[in-house]
C-alpha cells in the first residue's frame, strides 16, 4: 500500500467570507499542490474541504499520515464522528444536526478507503509544509475576495 503524507489547511477572510483551502500531497520525493476556494464560506468548511479534496485526489487505497492544524477536523473525525453516526448525524443533544453535515458525510465516505494517522501541528508556528498550505489557502481566499469586490452591484 502506498505511503502518502498529506498537509492541509483552510482560511477565510471574514468568517463567513471569502475562503480558500490548500493541500500538499507527498509520495516519496514527489509532491503535488492543490488549492481552491469559495466566495462565501467559513473557516471550518475550508478546513474540511482541504481534507476532502486531498483524499479525492488519491487514485488508490493508501496509508496516509495527515497533518492538520485544525482541531475541528481532527477531533471531528477521531472523537466526535462515531457518536454523530450513532445519533443519525445529530449532535450530543440528539436534536441538532451536525454543522457542515454534507461535508462530514462526504469525508466519512472517503475515510473508509484509506488507513489514516492524524497528526496535529500548531498553525503559524514555522512548520514548513503548514506554512505552505496556509499560503495556498490564503491566496485562494484573497482571489475570491478580489473577485467578489470587483463585481458591480445589479
Amino acid at each position: 500500500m502506498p505511503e502518502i503524507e498529506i498537509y492541509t489547511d483552510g482560511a477565510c477572510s471574514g468568517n463567513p467570507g471569502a475562503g480558500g483551502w490548500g493541500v500538499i500531497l507527498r509520495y516519496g520525493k514527489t509532491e503535488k499542490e492543490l488549492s481552491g476556494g469559495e466566495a462565501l464560506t467559513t473557516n471550518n468548511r475550508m478546513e474540511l474541504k482541504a481534507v476532502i479534496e486531498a483524499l479525492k485526489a488519491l487514485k488508490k487505497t493508501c496509508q496516509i499520515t495527515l497533518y492538520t492544524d485544525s482541531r475541528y477536523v481532527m477531533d471531528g473525525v477521531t472523537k466526535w464522528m462515531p457518536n454523530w453516526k450513532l445519533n443519525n448525524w445529530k449532535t450530543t443533544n440528539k436534536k441538532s444536526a451536525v454543522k457542515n453535515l454534507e461535508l462530514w458525510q462526504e469525508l466519512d465516505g472517503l475515510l473508509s478507503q484509506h488507513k489514516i494517522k492524524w497528526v496535529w501541528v500548531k498553525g503559524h508556528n514555522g512548520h514548513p509544509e503548514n506554512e505552505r498550505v496556509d499560503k495556498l489557502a490564503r491566496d485562494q481566499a484573497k482571489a475570491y475576495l478580489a473577485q467578489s469586490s470587483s463585481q458591480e452591484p445589479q
Side-chain angles (χ1 to χ4, degrees):
M1 186 179 322
E3 293 185 19
I4 307 284
E5 291 179 340
I6 296 177
Y7 301 86
T8 66
D9 201 13
C12 220
S13 182
N15 201 19
W21 54 267
V23 169
I24 298 171
L25 300 166
R26 182 180 292 153
Y27 176 64
K29 294 182 190 252
T30 302
E31 286 187 353
K32 183 175 185 177
E33 291 182 350
L34 306 171
S35 61
E38 296 177 14
L40 185 61
T41 189
T42 64
N43 189 66
N44 284 343
R45 289 183 68 81
M46 292 295 92
E47 294 282 3
L48 281 163
K49 196 74 172 161
V51 176
I52 289 167
E53 294 302 326
L55 296 177
K56 283 169 63 173
L58 301 175
K59 300 190 179 358
K60 56 174 89 170
T61 300
C62 297
Q63 173 98 23
I64 300 166
T65 303
L66 196 146
Y67 298 86
T68 180
D69 64 5
S70 173
R71 285 282 184 198
Y72 174 70
V73 173
M74 188 168 149
D75 288 350
V77 170
T78 62
K79 296 179 181 178
W80 310 328
M81 193 183 287
N83 284 332
W84 290 342
K85 290 165 67 173
L86 286 173
N87 293 333
N88 198 24
W89 294 97
K90 303 267 192 264
T91 59
T92 313
N93 69 14
K94 296 184 180 149
K95 294 177 185 164
S96 305
V98 171
K99 287 184 181 176
N100 303 309
L101 176 61
E102 76 287 358
L103 294 177
W104 284 113
Q105 288 176 327
E106 184 176 9
L107 179 55
D108 183 42
L110 293 164
L111 292 171
S112 65
Q113 301 171 31
H114 305 283
K115 183 169 171 50
I116 302 176
K117 174 186 171 191
W118 291 85
V119 179
W120 182 80
V121 296
K122 185 172 177 148
H124 312 287
N125 202 39
H127 186 284
E129 291 86 357
N130 182 257
E131 296 294 335
R132 282 175 55 198
V133 292
D134 178 63
K135 182 174 181 348
L136 289 169
R138 285 185 292 110
D139 287 351
Q140 286 291 323
K142 284 179 196 169
Y144 277 89
L145 185 61
Q147 185 181 28
S148 65
S149 65
S150 69
Q151 293 176 350
E152 294 184 26
Q154 299 293 319

